[in-house]
Amino acid sequence: MKAPESLKPLSREEEPLLRNLVADRLPQHIAVIMDGNGRWAQRRHLPRVAGHRAGVQSARKVIETCVRLEIPALTLYAFSMENWRRPKAEIDFLMHLLRDYLRKELPLIQRNNIRLLVIGRHDQLPKEVRADIDRAMEQTAGNTGMKLAVALNYGGRAELVDAFNNILDRVRNNGLANARVDEKMISDHLYTSELPDPDLLIRTSGEMRVSNFLLWQIAYAEIYVTEILWPDFSRAQLFEALLDYQKRERRYGGLAEARHRVTA
Ligand code: FPP
């Protein structure tokens, strides 16, 4: 693939990886479970929060690279509903970091024509975090480039519960006694209703779990797990993940093309 101008200069490691990517077979939506910040810090005898700070740099690199590659949608798992079980000091730091990110990164997000969506149960987040989320979403609402969804206080099961309750409300309020639920109706009521389902789910730090992330949406996603810890996840690692994705044969439960041909 010819390097987009804005991706240059490429390192000696990155250049051949990018060249091998097929431009018209890139995923339409990449979802990322950014894991391993704490271990990254511990290995350096640093406090865990230093890993989260370094993780922000990786997020920035991945966001910019996806914009340059013209990937239409990217979802980052920043804070799960289960993350409230962490020590208060770490939660406070993460909330502060995310607010800081939303404020400081806004000019870059605007310059890149990114539309920011924050998915999850906003109402349970601290008031000041909600205010920053609302401002960032409002200010980028007219942007037409990549959709960047940041999952905050997010849980896949909670998302489905919210979707079903919204459907029930609509049925009750509109007297739709004969309505039937179908897959499209469920997809249309998810937080991600504006995004295509992810084609590629990346998880760093080697854990083989989906951790309650986009449970409905990843039904047919290709899963890529790397041992690399999130703060070490570089542009080259993203290219590696994309190359691996392009080697996969996506059959959606059908047969491979060659086997599918009916022989005379
Ligand atoms: C996992 O590391 C990461 C998180 C809990 C999410 C926080 C992510 C960031 C701060 C990255 C920045 C993101 C954005 C969108 C600005 P962990 O603490 O679970 O690591 P461990 O498994 O090694 O303990």
Side-chain angles (χ1 to χ4, degrees), residues 151-249:
L152 253 189
N153 193 30
Y154 175 88
R157 287 188 173 186
E159 179 180 30
L160 285 165
V161 168
D162 290 350
F164 295 152
N165 279 319
N166 287 335
I167 292 171
L168 276 179
D169 286 346
R170 264 191 56 203
V171 168
R172 286 194 198 106
N173 298 339
N174 297 306
L176 302 170
N178 295 325
R180 293 190 61 80
V181 171
D182 59 19
E183 290 191 8
K184 184 174 182 307
M185 188 185 274
I186 294 174
S187 293
D188 287 349
H189 286 81
L190 295 174
Y191 308 144
T192 54
S193 59
E194 296 177 62
L195 308 176
D197 285 344
D199 300 302
L200 172 63
L201 170 68
I202 298 175
R203 179 166 193 150
T204 57
S205 94
E207 308 290 349
M208 299 286 191
R209 291 190 285 273
V210 292
S211 297
N212 202 12
F213 190 42
L214 303 177
L215 296 179
W216 175 274
Q217 299 90 329
I218 59 169
Y220 294 103
E222 296 296 327
I223 301 182
Y224 178 84
V225 177
T226 169
E227 292 292 326
I228 301 284
L229 303 177
W230 178 250
D232 289 328
F233 192 82
S234 62
R235 202 154 70 163
Q237 257 98 42
L238 179 63
F239 296 157
E240 298 265 18
L242 292 168
L243 282 170
D244 191 85
Y245 166 81
Q246 293 194 332
K247 278 192 236 136
R248 311 272 181 102
E249 181 190 16

Side-chain angles (χ1 to χ4, degrees), residues 34-40 48 52 55-56 59 76-79 83 86 90 94 97-98 101 150 230:
M34 311 178 284
D35 197 13
N37 293 352
R39 275 163 284 171
W40 181 92
R48 290 177 53 81
H52 296 317
V56 174
L76 300 177
Y77 204 3
F79 192 88
N83 285 153
R86 295 189 177 205
E90 183 172 341
L94 277 170
L97 194 69
L98 289 161
Y101 175 82
V150 177
W230 178 250

Side-chain angles (χ1 to χ4, degrees), residues 79-88 91:
F79 192 88
S80 72
M81 289 175 71
E82 290 78 16
N83 285 153
W84 294 109
R85 295 186 198 134
R86 295 189 177 205
K88 184 174 177 316
I91 294 174

